[in-house]
Amino acid sequence: MKIEVLQSSPHSPTRLQYLTSFLVDDVVSIDAGALGLMRTPAEQARVRDVLLTHSHADHTGLLPIFLENVIDERREPPTVHAHPFTLATLRQDMFNDRMWPNFVDLRIGEQRLVKLHVLEAEKPFVIAAGTLTCTPILVDHPVPTFGFLLDDGRDAVLFSGDTGPTTRLWEIARATPRLRAVFLELSFPDERSELARRVGHLTPKTFVEELAKLDRPELQVFAFHLKAKWHATIVDELTQRLAKGTTHRADRVAIAELGREYRFGG
Ligand SMILES: [Zn+2]
Ligand SMILES: [Zn+2]
C-alpha cells in the first residue's frame, strides 16, 4: 500500500499541514481538504473513491474543486463514502446552490458528477477496483467521525480521523495482526489541552496515552493534523515525552511528512 499525505500549501515545500487529505495507491483519497489542489486534473481523475472521515472544512474544503476538475461524462463519476451525517451536511451546507452548485443531483447528459455511499460503522466495503477493503470505525469528535482501516489482504493501515481519546479504534487495531502502521491525529500542544479536550483532539500527552491503548510498541505510528500555528511547540513537546520514555518505542513514532510517499508491504 502506498500512502502520501498531500501538501496543502502552494508555497511548497512546507512542513505545515493546513488541510487534511491522504492519497492511497493513487486511486483513493481519505478526506478532501486539499484534494482539489493536487497536481493535475488528470492525476486527480485517477481518484475513484473519496473516504470522508467527517464534515469539517479542513477535511472537505476542496471537494467541490476536485469534483469540478474530474468532470467526465464518458465515465462513472467518483464515489464519496461517508457517514450519513457527513453526507447530509454536504447536501445542506456545500452542494446547496449557494456555496456551490448542487453537484449531488446535477447531471451532464445521463451522467452524475458524484455518487454517494452511506457508511455504517464497522461494516467493511471494497474500493479501488476490489484491491482494498475499508472498515469505518467511529471515533470521538464533536461531529460523527470515522477512522478507517484499509486492508489489501496482506497489509493493513489505520487512519484515526480527527479524534480525542477513543476506545473502539484500538480494540480493532489490536485485533488486526497484519496492521503495519497507524496515522494518528495530533492537533494541539499540551499548553492548549483544555481547548483540545473541548474540540475533540489530541495533544502530546493524550497522544502517548492513546499509544499505550494500542499496545503494539513496535508498530510504526505517524502523527498528522498538527495545527500549523503550534507546529513547533507540538513537535518539541512530543519529542520530550518520547525521550522520557513511553510504552511505545520512540523510534517508531514520527511526524508524517507532507508530500512523501510511504510504502507498506509488497
Ligand atoms: Zn474535525
Ligand atoms: Zn481536522
Side-chain angles (χ1 to χ4, degrees), residues 167 169-177 179 212-216:
T167 306
L169 189 74
W170 305 124
E171 290 172 0
I172 289 176
R174 291 195 299 271
T176 307
L179 187 62
K213 298 182 199 171
L214 168 63
D215 198 23
R216 298 267 301 271

Side-chain angles (χ1 to χ4, degrees), residues 13-177:
T14 172
R15 295 173 308 131
L16 302 179
Q17 184 179 13
Y18 300 108
L19 305 166
T20 297
S21 18
F22 298 90
L23 184 66
V24 182
D25 291 343
D26 298 320
V27 294
V28 171
S29 179
I30 297 183
D31 287 330
L35 185 58
L37 299 173
M38 182 184 78
R39 302 191 266 274
T40 63
E43 286 186 74
Q44 291 184 29
R46 296 188 65 192
V47 174
R48 307 312 294 158
D49 295 284
V50 178
L51 309 166
L52 295 181
T53 58
H54 65 305
S55 56
H56 283 162
D58 52 330
H59 302 257
T60 56
L62 272 291
L63 180 64
I65 311 305
F66 163 74
L67 291 176
E68 180 179 83
N69 287 342
V70 305
I71 287 175
D72 184 349
E73 57 270 48
R74 295 162 305 176
R75 65 194 295 224
E76 288 282 297
T79 302
V80 171
H81 310 260
H83 190 283
F85 177 89
T86 308
L87 294 177
T89 303
L90 293 181
R91 276 185 176 276
Q92 289 161 24
D93 300 332
M94 182 178 272
F95 301 111
N96 55 12
D97 287 326
R98 296 189 301 278
M99 281 292 281
W100 198 253
N102 179 357
F103 269 26
V104 174
D105 296 318
L106 201 64
R107 302 274 198 287
I108 297 186
E110 295 290 296
Q111 196 59 268
R112 291 174 172 276
L113 303 184
V114 59
K115 288 191 286 188
L116 303 183
H117 176 210
V118 180
L119 300 184
E120 276 179 55
E122 298 181 35
K123 188 175 168 195
F125 58 100
V126 171
I127 50 172
T131 60
L132 290 175
T133 300
C134 175
T135 305
I137 304 152
L138 282 170
V139 291
D140 289 86
H141 199 51
V143 293
T145 301
F146 283 133
F148 293 117
L149 179 70
L150 292 190
D151 188 333
D152 67 9
R154 287 168 308 185
D155 307 290
V157 178
L158 183 65
F159 299 83
S160 71
D162 284 9
T163 188
T166 195
T167 306
R168 185 64 184 143
L169 189 74
W170 305 124
E171 290 172 0
I172 289 176
R174 291 195 299 271
T176 307

Side-chain angles (χ1 to χ4, degrees), residues 195-234:
L195 176 61
R197 193 186 60 74
R198 290 214 313 262
V199 294
H201 286 293
L202 300 177
T203 68
K205 177 175 185 288
T206 48
F207 181 91
V208 300
E209 287 168 0
E210 294 303 291
L211 294 185
K213 298 182 199 171
L214 168 63
D215 198 23
R216 298 267 301 271
E218 310 284 321
L219 196 67
Q220 183 70 58
V221 174
F222 297 100
F224 73 100
H225 203 272
L226 283 73
K227 295 286 183 185
K229 180 179 166 65
W230 292 291
H231 183 103
T233 311
I234 299 167

